[in-house]
């Protein structure tokens, strides 16, 4: 499920040149998305947000405390999207290409 959701979110970033350029210029956005996911996961574990679930097992009622499902699942997806869609900044890529081209030119001249 995570791979499908991340793939659907990332498709426009990969296919649309304008969105891809914006995403790579603002390279900190996926890092912020990942941070928000971590915050949501941590909040889901806090005492005010946990949920108590009662279920019957072997004829006995058992109550268990579980994290807030909405916060933990949305946090998980935000972490995954942030991690999988970090691209190198466009300025760094351009500098790397110039460096590699100059090294390539030097190798052909010798």
């Amino acid at each position: 499920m995570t791979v499908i959701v991340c793939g659907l979110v990332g498709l426009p970033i990969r296919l649309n040149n304008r969105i891809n350029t914006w995403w790579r210029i603002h390279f900190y956005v996926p890092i912020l998305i990942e941070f928000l996911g971590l915050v949501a996961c941590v909040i889901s574990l806090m005492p005010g947000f946990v949920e108590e679930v009662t279920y019957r097992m072997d004829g006995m009622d058992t109550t268990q405390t579980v994290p807030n499902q909405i916060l933990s699942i949305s946090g998980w997806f935000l972490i995954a999207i942030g991690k999988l869609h970090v691209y190198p900044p466009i300025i760094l890529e351009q500098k790397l290409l110039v460096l590699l081209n100059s090294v390539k030119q030097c190798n052909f001249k010798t």
Side-chain angles (χ1 to χ4, degrees):
M1 183 76 156
T2 303
V3 172
I4 292 170
V5 170
C6 288
L8 289 175
V9 169
L11 217 60
I13 297 171
R14 291 259 185 208
L15 298 178
N16 190 322
N17 220 6
R18 191 170 169 202
I19 295 173
N20 186 299
T21 304
W22 183 90
W23 192 263
R24 294 180 65 191
I25 289 172
H26 299 91
F27 61 93
Y28 52 85
V29 171
I31 297 168
L32 290 175
I33 290 172
E34 185 179 347
F35 179 73
L36 287 174
L38 286 170
V39 168
C41 286
V42 168
I43 290 175
S44 74
L45 298 170
M46 290 189 167
F49 294 95
V50 293
E51 301 169 348
E52 287 191 2
V53 177
T54 304
Y55 59 92
R56 190 181 253 326
M57 187 167 154
D58 295 332
M60 294 178 59
D61 287 341
T62 305
T63 302
Q64 229 177 7
T65 304
V66 296
N68 186 304
Q69 289 181 347
I70 293 173
L71 284 173
S72 61
I73 292 171
S74 62
W76 170 259
F77 282 115
L78 286 174
I79 290 171
I81 289 167
K83 276 279 189 219
L84 293 174
H85 295 97
V86 175
Y87 302 132
I90 203 160
I91 296 168
L92 181 66
E93 183 184 346
Q94 289 171 348
K95 287 182 181 181
L96 187 63
L97 285 173
V98 168
L99 178 70
L100 289 175
N101 283 334
S102 66
V103 169
K104 184 177 171 184
Q105 294 297 325
C106 289
N107 285 341
F108 282 130
K109 289 180 182 177
T110 57

PDB file of all heavy atoms in Angstrom, residues 53-86:
ATOM      1  N   VAL A  53      -8.299  -0.339  23.117  1.00  0.00           N
ATOM      2  CA  VAL A  53      -9.050  -1.290  22.313  1.00  0.00           C
ATOM      3  C   VAL A  53      -9.354  -2.494  23.189  1.00  0.00           C
ATOM      4  O   VAL A  53      -8.457  -3.059  23.826  1.00  0.00           O
ATOM      5  CB  VAL A  53      -8.241  -1.723  21.073  1.00  0.00           C
ATOM      6  CG1 VAL A  53      -8.986  -2.769  20.289  1.00  0.00           C
ATOM      7  CG2 VAL A  53      -7.915  -0.518  20.210  1.00  0.00           C
ATOM      8  N   THR A  54     -10.620  -2.878  23.224  1.00  0.00           N
ATOM      9  CA  THR A  54     -11.023  -4.058  23.990  1.00  0.00           C
ATOM     10  C   THR A  54     -11.430  -5.143  23.012  1.00  0.00           C
ATOM     11  O   THR A  54     -12.197  -4.901  22.087  1.00  0.00           O
ATOM     12  CB  THR A  54     -12.207  -3.729  24.927  1.00  0.00           C
ATOM     13  OG1 THR A  54     -11.819  -2.633  25.779  1.00  0.00           O
ATOM     14  CG2 THR A  54     -12.573  -4.925  25.778  1.00  0.00           C
ATOM     15  N   TYR A  55     -10.884  -6.325  23.209  1.00  0.00           N
ATOM     16  CA  TYR A  55     -11.232  -7.454  22.353  1.00  0.00           C
ATOM     17  C   TYR A  55     -11.349  -8.713  23.200  1.00  0.00           C
ATOM     18  O   TYR A  55     -10.840  -8.791  24.299  1.00  0.00           O
ATOM     19  CB  TYR A  55     -10.224  -7.631  21.219  1.00  0.00           C
ATOM     20  CG  TYR A  55      -8.802  -7.853  21.663  1.00  0.00           C
ATOM     21  CD1 TYR A  55      -8.308  -9.139  21.846  1.00  0.00           C
ATOM     22  CD2 TYR A  55      -7.955  -6.773  21.892  1.00  0.00           C
ATOM     23  CE1 TYR A  55      -7.014  -9.348  22.262  1.00  0.00           C
ATOM     24  CE2 TYR A  55      -6.657  -6.981  22.302  1.00  0.00           C
ATOM     25  CZ  TYR A  55      -6.186  -8.265  22.487  1.00  0.00           C
ATOM     26  OH  TYR A  55      -4.900  -8.466  22.900  1.00  0.00           O
ATOM     27  N   ARG A  56     -12.041  -9.692  22.663  1.00  0.00           N
ATOM     28  CA  ARG A  56     -12.264 -10.953  23.368  1.00  0.00           C
ATOM     29  C   ARG A  56     -11.370 -12.027  22.771  1.00  0.00           C
ATOM     30  O   ARG A  56     -11.349 -12.247  21.579  1.00  0.00           O
ATOM     31  CB  ARG A  56     -13.726 -11.375  23.246  1.00  0.00           C
ATOM     32  CG  ARG A  56     -14.100 -12.532  24.149  1.00  0.00           C
ATOM     33  CD  ARG A  56     -15.555 -12.913  23.950  1.00  0.00           C
ATOM     34  NE  ARG A  56     -16.562 -12.611  24.918  1.00  0.00           N
ATOM     35  CZ  ARG A  56     -16.474 -12.565  26.232  1.00  0.00           C
ATOM     36  NH1 ARG A  56     -15.344 -12.721  26.804  1.00  0.00           N
ATOM     37  NH2 ARG A  56     -17.502 -12.338  26.996  1.00  0.00           N
ATOM     38  N   MET A  57     -10.584 -12.656  23.673  1.00  0.00           N
ATOM     39  CA  MET A  57      -9.693 -13.711  23.237  1.00  0.00           C
ATOM     40  C   MET A  57      -9.714 -14.835  24.265  1.00  0.00           C
ATOM     41  O   MET A  57      -9.485 -14.605  25.455  1.00  0.00           O
ATOM     42  CB  MET A  57      -8.266 -13.169  23.079  1.00  0.00           C
ATOM     43  CG  MET A  57      -7.299 -14.114  22.474  1.00  0.00           C
ATOM     44  SD  MET A  57      -5.829 -13.172  22.043  1.00  0.00           S
ATOM     45  CE  MET A  57      -4.633 -14.436  22.114  1.00  0.00           C
ATOM     46  N   ASP A  58     -10.015 -16.050  23.814  1.00  0.00           N
ATOM     47  CA  ASP A  58     -10.114 -17.229  24.682  1.00  0.00           C
ATOM     48  C   ASP A  58     -11.112 -17.017  25.811  1.00  0.00           C
ATOM     49  O   ASP A  58     -10.903 -17.434  26.949  1.00  0.00           O
ATOM     50  CB  ASP A  58      -8.747 -17.608  25.262  1.00  0.00           C
ATOM     51  CG  ASP A  58      -7.764 -18.054  24.201  1.00  0.00           C
ATOM     52  OD1 ASP A  58      -8.230 -18.582  23.168  1.00  0.00           O
ATOM     53  OD2 ASP A  58      -6.550 -17.865  24.399  1.00  0.00           O
ATOM     54  N   GLY A  59     -12.206 -16.347  25.519  1.00  0.00           N
ATOM     55  CA  GLY A  59     -13.270 -16.146  26.494  1.00  0.00           C
ATOM     56  C   GLY A  59     -13.004 -15.048  27.501  1.00  0.00           C
ATOM     57  O   GLY A  59     -13.785 -14.853  28.426  1.00  0.00           O
ATOM     58  N   MET A  60     -11.901 -14.321  27.342  1.00  0.00           N
ATOM     59  CA  MET A  60     -11.581 -13.241  28.284  1.00  0.00           C
ATOM     60  C   MET A  60     -11.528 -11.920  27.529  1.00  0.00           C
ATOM     61  O   MET A  60     -11.032 -11.857  26.412  1.00  0.00           O
ATOM     62  CB  MET A  60     -10.220 -13.485  28.939  1.00  0.00           C
ATOM     63  CG  MET A  60     -10.176 -14.705  29.832  1.00  0.00           C
ATOM     64  SD  MET A  60      -8.539 -14.983  30.519  1.00  0.00           S
ATOM     65  CE  MET A  60      -8.263 -13.486  31.404  1.00  0.00           C
ATOM     66  N   ASP A  61     -12.054 -10.880  28.175  1.00  0.00           N
ATOM     67  CA  ASP A  61     -11.948  -9.542  27.605  1.00  0.00           C
ATOM     68  C   ASP A  61     -10.570  -8.965  27.926  1.00  0.00           C
ATOM     69  O   ASP A  61     -10.132  -8.994  29.074  1.00  0.00           O
ATOM     70  CB  ASP A  61     -13.035  -8.615  28.159  1.00  0.00           C
ATOM     71  CG  ASP A  61     -14.408  -8.932  27.585  1.00  0.00           C
ATOM     72  OD1 ASP A  61     -14.452  -9.586  26.529  1.00  0.00           O
ATOM     73  OD2 ASP A  61     -15.408  -8.540  28.201  1.00  0.00           O
ATOM     74  N   THR A  62      -9.913  -8.460  26.899  1.00  0.00           N
ATOM     75  CA  THR A  62      -8.586  -7.879  27.070  1.00  0.00           C
ATOM     76  C   THR A  62      -8.603  -6.457  26.533  1.00  0.00           C
ATOM     77  O   THR A  62      -9.109  -6.205  25.443  1.00  0.00           O
ATOM     78  CB  THR A  62      -7.530  -8.703  26.298  1.00  0.00           C
ATOM     79  OG1 THR A  62      -7.607 -10.061  26.709  1.00  0.00           O
ATOM     80  CG2 THR A  62      -6.147  -8.177  26.558  1.00  0.00           C
ATOM     81  N   THR A  63      -8.060  -5.551  27.323  1.00  0.00           N
ATOM     82  CA  THR A  63      -7.964  -4.156  26.907  1.00  0.00           C
ATOM     83  C   THR A  63      -6.496  -3.839  26.664  1.00  0.00           C
ATOM     84  O   THR A  63      -5.640  -4.143  27.482  1.00  0.00           O
ATOM     85  CB  THR A  63      -8.528  -3.221  27.984  1.00  0.00           C
ATOM     86  OG1 THR A  63      -9.886  -3.573  28.234  1.00  0.00           O
ATOM     87  CG2 THR A  63      -8.462  -1.777  27.547  1.00  0.00           C
ATOM     88  N   GLN A  64      -6.245  -3.229  25.528  1.00  0.00           N
ATOM     89  CA  GLN A  64      -4.883  -2.877  25.161  1.00  0.00           C
ATOM     90  C   GLN A  64      -4.837  -1.424  24.720  1.00  0.00           C
ATOM     91  O   GLN A  64      -5.784  -0.917  24.112  1.00  0.00           O
ATOM     92  CB  GLN A  64      -4.414  -3.768  24.011  1.00  0.00           C
ATOM     93  CG  GLN A  64      -3.091  -4.374  24.235  1.00  0.00           C
ATOM     94  CD  GLN A  64      -2.702  -5.301  23.085  1.00  0.00           C
ATOM     95  OE1 GLN A  64      -3.383  -5.391  22.067  1.00  0.00           O
ATOM     96  NE2 GLN A  64      -1.603  -5.975  23.261  1.00  0.00           N
ATOM     97  N   THR A  65      -3.748  -0.761  25.035  1.00  0.00           N
ATOM     98  CA  THR A  65      -3.545   0.613  24.604  1.00  0.00           C
ATOM     99  C   THR A  65      -2.742   0.593  23.306  1.00  0.00           C
ATOM    100  O   THR A  65      -1.679  -0.019  23.245  1.00  0.00           O
ATOM    101  CB  THR A  65      -2.779   1.406  25.676  1.00  0.00           C
ATOM    102  OG1 THR A  65      -3.492   1.320  26.907  1.00  0.00           O
ATOM    103  CG2 THR A  65      -2.638   2.855  25.284  1.00  0.00           C
ATOM    104  N   VAL A  66      -3.270   1.244  22.277  1.00  0.00           N
ATOM    105  CA  VAL A  66      -2.612   1.286  20.972  1.00  0.00           C
ATOM    106  C   VAL A  66      -2.447   2.741  20.545  1.00  0.00           C
ATOM    107  O   VAL A  66      -3.191   3.608  20.979  1.00  0.00           O
ATOM    108  CB  VAL A  66      -3.419   0.503  19.900  1.00  0.00           C
ATOM    109  CG1 VAL A  66      -3.482  -0.966  20.243  1.00  0.00           C
ATOM    110  CG2 VAL A  66      -4.803   1.074  19.728  1.00  0.00           C
ATOM    111  N   PRO A  67      -1.462   3.013  19.677  1.00  0.00           N
ATOM    112  CA  PRO A  67      -1.294   4.386  19.184  1.00  0.00           C
ATOM    113  C   PRO A  67      -2.509   4.837  18.370  1.00  0.00           C
ATOM    114  O   PRO A  67      -3.249   4.016  17.829  1.00  0.00           O
ATOM    115  CB  PRO A  67      -0.066   4.300  18.281  1.00  0.00           C
ATOM    116  CG  PRO A  67       0.608   3.033  18.633  1.00  0.00           C
ATOM    117  CD  PRO A  67      -0.435   2.124  19.177  1.00  0.00           C
ATOM    118  N   ASN A  68      -2.676   6.133  18.275  1.00  0.00           N
ATOM    119  CA  ASN A  68      -3.740   6.702  17.467  1.00  0.00           C
ATOM    120  C   ASN A  68      -3.525   6.276  16.017  1.00  0.00           C
ATOM    121  O   ASN A  68      -2.493   6.579  15.421  1.00  0.00           O
ATOM    122  CB  ASN A  68      -3.719   8.221  17.598  1.00  0.00           C
ATOM    123  CG  ASN A  68      -4.860   8.883  16.911  1.00  0.00           C
ATOM    124  OD1 ASN A  68      -5.062   8.676  15.712  1.00  0.00           O
ATOM    125  ND2 ASN A  68      -5.602   9.682  17.640  1.00  0.00           N
ATOM    126  N   GLN A  69      -4.498   5.577  15.465  1.00  0.00           N
ATOM    127  CA  GLN A  69      -4.325   4.991  14.137  1.00  0.00           C
ATOM    128  C   GLN A  69      -4.213   6.032  13.031  1.00  0.00           C
ATOM    129  O   GLN A  69      -3.398   5.891  12.113  1.00  0.00           O
ATOM    130  CB  GLN A  69      -5.466   4.028  13.832  1.00  0.00           C
ATOM    131  CG  GLN A  69      -5.393   2.770  14.648  1.00  0.00           C
ATOM    132  CD  GLN A  69      -6.527   1.807  14.325  1.00  0.00           C
ATOM    133  OE1 GLN A  69      -7.491   2.183  13.664  1.00  0.00           O
ATOM    134  NE2 GLN A  69      -6.393   0.582  14.785  1.00  0.00           N
ATOM    135  N   ILE A  70      -5.018   7.060  13.094  1.00  0.00           N
ATOM    136  CA  ILE A  70      -4.996   8.078  12.040  1.00  0.00           C
ATOM    137  C   ILE A  70      -3.644   8.783  12.009  1.00  0.00           C
ATOM    138  O   ILE A  70      -3.031   8.941  10.953  1.00  0.00           O
ATOM    139  CB  ILE A  70      -6.146   9.087  12.228  1.00  0.00           C
ATOM    140  CG1 ILE A  70      -7.481   8.391  12.010  1.00  0.00           C
ATOM    141  CG2 ILE A  70      -5.988  10.273  11.282  1.00  0.00           C
ATOM    142  CD1 ILE A  70      -8.685   9.230  12.333  1.00  0.00           C
ATOM    143  N   LEU A  71      -3.153   9.176  13.191  1.00  0.00           N
ATOM    144  CA  LEU A  71      -1.864   9.868  13.241  1.00  0.00           C
ATOM    145  C   LEU A  71      -0.703   8.953  12.854  1.00  0.00           C
ATOM    146  O   LEU A  71       0.203   9.360  12.126  1.00  0.00           O
ATOM    147  CB  LEU A  71      -1.621  10.437  14.639  1.00  0.00           C
ATOM    148  CG  LEU A  71      -2.381  11.695  15.000  1.00  0.00           C
ATOM    149  CD1 LEU A  71      -2.174  12.042  16.461  1.00  0.00           C
ATOM    150  CD2 LEU A  71      -1.934  12.839  14.124  1.00  0.00           C
ATOM    151  N   SER A  72      -0.731   7.711  13.325  1.00  0.00           N
ATOM    152  CA  SER A  72       0.402   6.832  13.028  1.00  0.00           C
ATOM    153  C   SER A  72       0.436   6.416  11.558  1.00  0.00           C
ATOM    154  O   SER A  72       1.500   6.375  10.940  1.00  0.00           O
ATOM    155  CB  SER A  72       0.376   5.594  13.928  1.00  0.00           C
ATOM    156  OG  SER A  72      -0.789   4.842  13.722  1.00  0.00           O
ATOM    157  N   ILE A  73      -0.705   6.142  10.961  1.00  0.00           N
ATOM    158  CA  ILE A  73      -0.736   5.748   9.548  1.00  0.00           C
ATOM    159  C   ILE A  73      -0.393   6.937   8.648  1.00  0.00           C
ATOM    160  O   ILE A  73       0.397   6.803   7.710  1.00  0.00           O
ATOM    161  CB  ILE A  73      -2.102   5.134   9.179  1.00  0.00           C
ATOM    162  CG1 ILE A  73      -2.257   3.788   9.884  1.00  0.00           C
ATOM    163  CG2 ILE A  73      -2.248   4.978   7.675  1.00  0.00           C
ATOM    164  CD1 ILE A  73      -3.642   3.180   9.769  1.00  0.00           C
ATOM    165  N   SER A  74      -0.966   8.097   8.936  1.00  0.00           N
ATOM    166  CA  SER A  74      -0.629   9.264   8.114  1.00  0.00           C
ATOM    167  C   SER A  74       0.833   9.650   8.301  1.00  0.00           C
ATOM    168  O   SER A  74       1.511  10.043   7.345  1.00  0.00           O
ATOM    169  CB  SER A  74      -1.549  10.436   8.428  1.00  0.00           C
ATOM    170  OG  SER A  74      -1.396  10.841   9.775  1.00  0.00           O
ATOM    171  N   GLY A  75       1.350   9.518   9.518  1.00  0.00           N
ATOM    172  CA  GLY A  75       2.762   9.784   9.757  1.00  0.00           C
ATOM    173  C   GLY A  75       3.652   8.827   8.994  1.00  0.00           C
ATOM    174  O   GLY A  75       4.671   9.221   8.426  1.00  0.00           O
ATOM    175  N   TRP A  76       3.264   7.551   8.953  1.00  0.00           N
ATOM    176  CA  TRP A  76       4.023   6.549   8.207  1.00  0.00           C
ATOM    177  C   TRP A  76       4.101   6.919   6.722  1.00  0.00           C
ATOM    178  O   TRP A  76       5.151   6.862   6.105  1.00  0.00           O
ATOM    179  CB  TRP A  76       3.386   5.182   8.378  1.00  0.00           C
ATOM    180  CG  TRP A  76       3.947   4.147   7.471  1.00  0.00           C
ATOM    181  CD1 TRP A  76       3.408   3.687   6.312  1.00  0.00           C
ATOM    182  CD2 TRP A  76       5.185   3.452   7.621  1.00  0.00           C
ATOM    183  NE1 TRP A  76       4.223   2.746   5.735  1.00  0.00           N
ATOM    184  CE2 TRP A  76       5.320   2.584   6.517  1.00  0.00           C
ATOM    185  CE3 TRP A  76       6.190   3.481   8.582  1.00  0.00           C
ATOM    186  CZ2 TRP A  76       6.429   1.763   6.364  1.00  0.00           C
ATOM    187  CZ3 TRP A  76       7.283   2.655   8.412  1.00  0.00           C
ATOM    188  CH2 TRP A  76       7.387   1.813   7.310  1.00  0.00           C
ATOM    189  N   PHE A  77       2.958   7.294   6.145  1.00  0.00           N
ATOM    190  CA  PHE A  77       2.948   7.654   4.730  1.00  0.00           C
ATOM    191  C   PHE A  77       3.745   8.931   4.465  1.00  0.00           C
ATOM    192  O   PHE A  77       4.432   9.035   3.448  1.00  0.00           O
ATOM    193  CB  PHE A  77       1.523   7.781   4.208  1.00  0.00           C
ATOM    194  CG  PHE A  77       0.879   6.463   3.927  1.00  0.00           C
ATOM    195  CD1 PHE A  77      -0.218   6.034   4.653  1.00  0.00           C
ATOM    196  CD2 PHE A  77       1.368   5.632   2.938  1.00  0.00           C
ATOM    197  CE1 PHE A  77      -0.807   4.814   4.404  1.00  0.00           C
ATOM    198  CE2 PHE A  77       0.788   4.409   2.672  1.00  0.00           C
ATOM    199  CZ  PHE A  77      -0.303   3.995   3.410  1.00  0.00           C
ATOM    200  N   LEU A  78       3.672   9.891   5.362  1.00  0.00           N
ATOM    201  CA  LEU A  78       4.456  11.119   5.180  1.00  0.00           C
ATOM    202  C   LEU A  78       5.953  10.836   5.248  1.00  0.00           C
ATOM    203  O   LEU A  78       6.736  11.388   4.466  1.00  0.00           O
ATOM    204  CB  LEU A  78       4.062  12.162   6.227  1.00  0.00           C
ATOM    205  CG  LEU A  78       2.711  12.835   6.020  1.00  0.00           C
ATOM    206  CD1 LEU A  78       2.382  13.733   7.206  1.00  0.00           C
ATOM    207  CD2 LEU A  78       2.686  13.624   4.732  1.00  0.00           C
ATOM    208  N   ILE A  79       6.364   9.964   6.167  1.00  0.00           N
ATOM    209  CA  ILE A  79       7.778   9.588   6.244  1.00  0.00           C
ATOM    210  C   ILE A  79       8.215   8.904   4.960  1.00  0.00           C
ATOM    211  O   ILE A  79       9.272   9.216   4.392  1.00  0.00           O
ATOM    212  CB  ILE A  79       8.030   8.668   7.460  1.00  0.00           C
ATOM    213  CG1 ILE A  79       7.876   9.447   8.753  1.00  0.00           C
ATOM    214  CG2 ILE A  79       9.419   8.040   7.385  1.00  0.00           C
ATOM    215  CD1 ILE A  79       7.885   8.580   9.992  1.00  0.00           C
ATOM    216  N   ALA A  80       7.401   7.976   4.473  1.00  0.00           N
ATOM    217  CA  ALA A  80       7.753   7.245   3.252  1.00  0.00           C
ATOM    218  C   ALA A  80       7.828   8.182   2.045  1.00  0.00           C
ATOM    219  O   ALA A  80       8.767   8.102   1.242  1.00  0.00           O
ATOM    220  CB  ALA A  80       6.739   6.135   3.001  1.00  0.00           C
ATOM    221  N   ILE A  81       6.861   9.067   1.905  1.00  0.00           N
ATOM    222  CA  ILE A  81       6.855  10.009   0.782  1.00  0.00           C
ATOM    223  C   ILE A  81       8.064  10.941   0.861  1.00  0.00           C
ATOM    224  O   ILE A  81       8.736  11.198  -0.135  1.00  0.00           O
ATOM    225  CB  ILE A  81       5.532  10.796   0.744  1.00  0.00           C
ATOM    226  CG1 ILE A  81       4.395   9.869   0.316  1.00  0.00           C
ATOM    227  CG2 ILE A  81       5.628  12.003  -0.183  1.00  0.00           C
ATOM    228  CD1 ILE A  81       3.017  10.442   0.531  1.00  0.00           C
ATOM    229  N   GLY A  82       8.347  11.436   2.065  1.00  0.00           N
ATOM    230  CA  GLY A  82       9.502  12.315   2.230  1.00  0.00           C
ATOM    231  C   GLY A  82      10.809  11.614   1.915  1.00  0.00           C
ATOM    232  O   GLY A  82      11.685  12.164   1.245  1.00  0.00           O
ATOM    233  N   LYS A  83      10.957  10.375   2.382  1.00  0.00           N
ATOM    234  CA  LYS A  83      12.191   9.619   2.133  1.00  0.00           C
ATOM    235  C   LYS A  83      12.379   9.278   0.662  1.00  0.00           C
ATOM    236  O   LYS A  83      13.477   9.369   0.127  1.00  0.00           O
ATOM    237  CB  LYS A  83      12.178   8.305   2.915  1.00  0.00           C
ATOM    238  CG  LYS A  83      12.628   8.399   4.318  1.00  0.00           C
ATOM    239  CD  LYS A  83      14.123   8.390   4.376  1.00  0.00           C
ATOM    240  CE  LYS A  83      14.553   8.273   5.815  1.00  0.00           C
ATOM    241  NZ  LYS A  83      15.683   9.087   6.107  1.00  0.00           N
ATOM    242  N   LEU A  84      11.317   8.858   0.011  1.00  0.00           N
ATOM    243  CA  LEU A  84      11.433   8.370  -1.361  1.00  0.00           C
ATOM    244  C   LEU A  84      11.489   9.474  -2.416  1.00  0.00           C
ATOM    245  O   LEU A  84      11.816   9.200  -3.565  1.00  0.00           O
ATOM    246  CB  LEU A  84      10.269   7.427  -1.678  1.00  0.00           C
ATOM    247  CG  LEU A  84      10.291   6.114  -0.888  1.00  0.00           C
ATOM    248  CD1 LEU A  84       9.031   5.317  -1.167  1.00  0.00           C
ATOM    249  CD2 LEU A  84      11.515   5.306  -1.216  1.00  0.00           C
ATOM    250  N   HIS A  85      11.160  10.706  -2.030  1.00  0.00           N
ATOM    251  CA  HIS A  85      11.127  11.771  -3.030  1.00  0.00           C
ATOM    252  C   HIS A  85      12.122  12.887  -2.747  1.00  0.00           C
ATOM    253  O   HIS A  85      11.893  14.037  -3.098  1.00  0.00           O
ATOM    254  CB  HIS A  85       9.705  12.325  -3.152  1.00  0.00           C
ATOM    255  CG  HIS A  85       8.758  11.309  -3.681  1.00  0.00           C
ATOM    256  ND1 HIS A  85       7.965  10.573  -2.864  1.00  0.00           N
ATOM    257  CD2 HIS A  85       8.533  10.871  -4.927  1.00  0.00           C
ATOM    258  CE1 HIS A  85       7.265   9.720  -3.597  1.00  0.00           C
ATOM    259  NE2 HIS A  85       7.600   9.884  -4.857  1.00  0.00           N
ATOM    260  N   VAL A  86      13.237  12.523  -2.127  1.00  0.00           N
ATOM    261  CA  VAL A  86      14.329  13.477  -1.952  1.00  0.00           C
ATOM    262  C   VAL A  86      15.216  13.376  -3.184  1.00  0.00           C
ATOM    263  O   VAL A  86      15.779  12.326  -3.469  1.00  0.00           O
ATOM    264  CB  VAL A  86      15.149  13.167  -0.682  1.00  0.00           C
ATOM    265  CG1 VAL A  86      16.351  14.081  -0.590  1.00  0.00           C
ATOM    266  CG2 VAL A  86      14.290  13.320   0.554  1.00  0.00           C
TER     267      VAL A  86
END
